[in-house]
Amino acid sequence: MAYPALRKKGEKLAPLSERLARLGLQKDWDYVLHLPLRYEDERKISPIAELQAGCTGQCQGQVIRCERVRRPSGEQLQATVSDGTATLSVRLLHFFPSQVKQLEVNKTVRLYGPVRDGFTGLEMVHPKIKPPVDQAQLPSTLTPVYPAGESITQNWLRKRISRALLDVEISDPMPADILVKLHLPGLADAIRYLHHPPVGASLAALSDRTAAAWQRLKFDELVAQQVALRHSRALKAQSQAKPIAPEREVLIERFFDRLPFALTDAQRRVFNEIRADLAKTTPMNRLLQGDVGSGKTIIAALAAVLAIDAGFQATLMAPTEILAEQHYEKIAQWLEPLGIKLAWLAGKQKTKERNANLEAIASGQAQLIIGTHALIQESVKFANLGLAIVDEQHRFGVAQRLALRQGSENSLPHLLMLSATPIPRTLAMSYLADLDVSVIDELPPGRKPIVTKLISLSRKRDVLGAVADQVNQGRQVYWVCPLIEESEKIDLTAATQTYEELKRSLPHLRIGLVHGALPADEKQVIMQAFQDGVLDVLVATTVIEVGVDVPNATLMVIEHAERFGLAQLHQLRGRVGRGAEKSFCILLYGELSETGRERLKVIRETTDGFEIARRDLEIRGPGEFLGARQSGVPMLRFANLELDAELVEQARNFAQEWLQTDPSAAALHAKRWFGHAEGFLEA
Ligand code: ADP
Ligand code: MG
């Protein structure tokens, strides 16, 4: 199929500086550290007759044929190129109008890419198509290929990086003895080698030769991270908090008296961990992790009651209005009978109501304040905030979490963060050393396991039957539509289409649609209708991912499940299986790659969030774990905490030593690597 231009006409491209900043490119030094993803060998043009299947090659010739061909999968562009020695087929499975132009008959083109055996002889699928050159114009070294962004060309990056390499003096901050001990090359050598492998280097032999250079950069990165971690831990140790240790836990006792169920052992344990932290004069900085449905909300409520028992205010911030309101309703049920005063703060409030609430917060009359981002606006002044709780904390940035933590000059409130996104222990240990972690590793009793099925999208009809079946039994159904690219607009079209299709096929069912582009109050109305059982089926984009609690929902259908992350699928599946009835999750898949199939199998085979996280880590590495960002310590670009475990250990030891022998060099090093990262020095 022919692709339209990626950006719509008239849609503005962000300014260059902004696009570069997204790649982490601001200062010269950032360019120096912007290292190639891989290399291309454009040093010679081979006669087509000498190209070999299985190798990457470059050739140059004339287009002698080019046509659009219809295939079941869409329209392809097929061309034949000849250089007099032989012919080569070129196939583009999807293409832009500009590429049709490049491959017009009689034009001479240079092609670079992997060569394979096609139906009609040798072919290149999606080669790089470039203007022809003379042999003399070819580069004498391997060509680096850099991570690039929107409308930033490789050529531009190469020039800019070469300039930075000339302008910046790459001094080596590390003492020579550690380099000798670990067999690491000098910093300048390593960096220059990676950007510009020497003339003789060949693509095949390169991986070994660059290994030492990469090792050096990873080491420097890890050392910088260790220094940053220690720095933020030291800052934390310096700050003060008012201890929360009520003489008599009157409210807590009454709370337990009225609770219709007993806490699980895991809940009891984590509450004790939190209680011990709260009694200290340093602010708690604790992450409460527990799988979906493990019962984190009640722990949050208990911590809040403890703070209130001790005469403080507490606050709970949730990422969406829907979720905040659910918390409010649930927690009010528990706490209002105890005589605790709750207040509610959200963006969509009437001014009068909002002002009244602000006053109650400032006077201390409101004891527990629940809300959204509205809680961190400047107009909100707490009388005596002792504890701040953040639900689904990965939805918030570091800055937002810190803002909630406003305190008086010399005392901070305690901070409790809740998350269902499991962070593997190894990662938590090395990365989040400034964050304490409590884990609820047990579900409340009586949960029925969820049956998960993988079904091809071509059998969507059968699934419609299952939907009708559940609804006939009085149950409710979620139908989640995929995120296509990162664009809300396309996303929305897909969801709307599915919604129309379901309405047509199941006309007797009451079906609702909720998506990210709806105004918050409309979203609210639809979610409420689903919660009240007025809707049978809720078609949604991933807006429902966060902790919605509708126990009567027993079927979760996820369309194009292969496009979701494992953690996300697990979260979504956790929306069902909350009531007494047996629940199901159907993963509808489109085209599956080998790893795609592996990933979906993981979801089918286990419902243990930690196991899923561990397998996910194996499949994609830890870089993307949300947890990595939450300590305020920047993520790693080069090193991999799992694969480079030995180097992590060496970096940790060296950082400790370095901070004692030469603290200013160590600090400078950390700043050079992470200086521009969000909240690094503050967090
Ligand atoms: P999550 O950890 O995903 O936020 P919730 O706090 O929403 O989970 O809890 C899920 C459900 O389990 C809620 O309906 C809650 O009231 C219930 N629940 C929590 N703890 C227990 C328990 N110990 N025994 C029985 N039910 C519980
Ligand atoms: Mg929750």
Side-chain angles (χ1 to χ4, degrees), residues 29 171 173 224 227 658 662-675:
W29 180 252
S171 56
V227 171
W658 206 20
D662 195 350
S664 57
L668 209 66
H669 175 69
K671 193 148 191 272
R672 180 146 89 159
W673 275 82
F674 293 135

Side-chain angles (χ1 to χ4, degrees), residues 237-253:
Q238 278 166 19
S239 48
Q240 296 278 310
K242 296 211 179 78
I244 293 179
E247 257 164 50
R248 281 201 52 209
E249 298 182 353
V250 183
L251 294 168
I252 290 275
E253 278 166 26

Side-chain angles (χ1 to χ4, degrees), residues 243-294:
I244 293 179
E247 257 164 50
R248 281 201 52 209
E249 298 182 353
V250 183
L251 294 168
I252 290 275
E253 278 166 26
R254 300 228 305 269
F255 185 110
F256 277 120
D257 285 347
R258 295 178 37 97
L259 198 64
F261 50 74
L263 292 189
T264 62
D265 288 345
Q267 281 173 318
R268 223 188 311 268
R269 174 173 44 76
V270 300
F271 180 53
N272 284 332
E273 287 167 2
I274 292 168
R275 192 203 295 256
D277 265 12
L278 290 175
K280 292 183 186 158
T281 52
T282 47
M284 171 169 79
N285 193 31
R286 188 170 280 277
L287 178 70
L288 173 57
Q289 253 179 40
D291 214 343
V292 208
S294 61

Side-chain angles (χ1 to χ4, degrees), residues 93-154:
L93 306 179
H94 43 75
F95 52 93
F96 296 105
S98 60
Q99 291 171 314
V100 179
K101 212 163 189 166
Q102 280 181 309
L103 289 174
E104 271 169 8
V105 172
N106 287 333
K107 283 207 169 154
T108 302
V109 287
R110 180 160 55 111
L111 302 168
Y112 180 93
V115 182
R116 43 178 265 177
D117 266 322
F119 296 118
T120 55
L122 289 184
E123 73 170 356
M124 285 188 186
V125 179
H126 288 276
K128 286 228 170 86
I129 308 172
K130 300 182 177 183
V133 287
D134 290 340
Q135 288 281 356
Q137 286 172 274
L138 290 170
S140 58
T141 56
L142 295 175
T143 313
V145 180
Y146 293 104
E150 217 186 341
S151 294
I152 299 170
T153 64
Q154 289 294 328

Side-chain angles (χ1 to χ4, degrees), residues 579-592:
E581 306 303 327
K582 188 165 185 180
S583 291
F584 305 87
C585 175
I586 295 179
L587 304 177
L588 280 172
Y589 58 86
E591 275 185 36
L592 279 188

Side-chain angles (χ1 to χ4, degrees), residues 296-297 323 327 391-392 547:
K296 295 184 290 295
T297 317
L323 191 58
H327 280 324
D391 192 18
E392 306 287 348

Side-chain angles (χ1 to χ4, degrees), residues 483-503:
L483 192 75
I484 301 175
E485 320 239 281
E486 293 281 283
S487 152
E488 288 233 342
K489 260 185 221 149
I490 314 180
D491 208 23
L492 183 55
T493 326
T496 312
Q497 270 169 12
T498 301
Y499 169 66
E500 297 295 340
E501 189 183 335
L502 285 178
K503 278 209 303 193

